[in-house]
């Protein structure tokens, strides 16, 4: 299958920029026209799943920040799992990268809402809370990716 993700495609040694492909490794398969359909299907499902988390948070009377944090942590964990799984180049019946990584997780997680919440906290003179929430989200997000990768690699 042409749907594999290889993080070794980018060389950061000898002063090369990390976004310049390394010719020693094959690059990520180029997008195919049908991939956009898979992205749309995954995106629709991810948006609905995110809305369900928001509704659940509202019913539990949790602050809206909790819903954003939850989807971003779940999404980070799932991205870690998918990245490690795709590195194993496991054949899939559907193109996992466009459907799950780009579509579902792209719609499920939300950087823009996080940014808006940080601005709102800062404007409400809660700069300490904004810094703590932003730092906690970034730190925990990276930890969740590493946890997802570790579970798959074990």
């Amino acid at each position: 299958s042409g749907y594999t993700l290889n993080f070794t495609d980018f060389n950061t040694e000898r002063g090369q920029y990390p976004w310049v492909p390394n010719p020693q490794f094959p690059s990520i398969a180029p997008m195919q026209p049908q991939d956009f359909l898979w992205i749309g299907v995954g995106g629709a499902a991810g948006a609905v799943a995110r809305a369900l988390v928001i509704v659940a948070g509202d019913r539990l009377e949790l602050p809206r920040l909790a819903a954003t944090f939850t989807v971003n942590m779940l999404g980070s964990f799932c991205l870690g799992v998918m990245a490690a799984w795709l590195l194993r180049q496991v054949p899939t019946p559907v193109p996992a990268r466009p459907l799950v990584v780009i579509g579902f997780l792209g719609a499920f997680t939300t950087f823009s809402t996080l940014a808006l919440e940080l601005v709102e906290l800062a404007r409400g003179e809660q700069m300490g809370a904004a810094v703590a929430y932003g730092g906690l989200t970034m730190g925990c997000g990276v930890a969740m990716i590493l946890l997802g990768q570790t579970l798959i690699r074990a």
Side-chain angles (χ1 to χ4, degrees):
S1 169
Y3 301 100
T4 59
L5 180 63
N6 190 344
F7 288 114
T8 58
D9 288 349
F10 302 99
N11 188 354
T12 57
E13 295 178 12
R14 295 181 304 278
Q16 293 182 356
Y17 295 101
W19 54 84
V20 176
N22 183 338
Q24 296 176 351
F25 300 101
S27 63
I28 296 171
M31 296 290 281
Q32 302 297 317
Q34 66 271 21
D35 290 342
F36 294 97
L37 174 63
W38 291 113
I39 291 168
V41 169
V48 169
R50 180 173 157 212
L52 291 172
V53 171
I54 292 168
V55 168
D58 288 347
R59 288 194 176 161
L60 294 171
E61 299 181 7
L62 297 174
R64 188 56 60 96
L65 298 177
T68 303
F69 186 81
T70 299
V71 297
N72 286 332
M73 293 310 104
L74 288 172
S76 294
F77 174 78
C78 291
L79 182 58
V81 166
M82 289 303 298
W85 185 63
L86 291 172
L87 279 173
R88 290 184 171 191
Q89 299 181 358
V90 177
T92 59
V94 296
R97 184 172 172 262
L99 177 68
V100 179
V101 175
I102 299 170
F104 183 86
L105 294 175
F108 183 67
T109 60
T110 174
F111 181 81
S112 57
T113 300
L114 168 65
L116 178 63
E117 291 170 346
L118 293 172
V119 168
E120 288 175 347
L121 284 170
R123 283 189 180 155
E125 298 183 13
Q126 298 180 51
M127 189 57 73
V131 170
Y133 177 51
L136 183 68
T137 298
M138 292 298 122
C140 289
V142 169
M144 294 301 283
I145 285 176
L146 293 172
L147 176 62
Q149 289 177 333
T150 301
L151 290 176
I152 292 299
R153 290 180 181 156

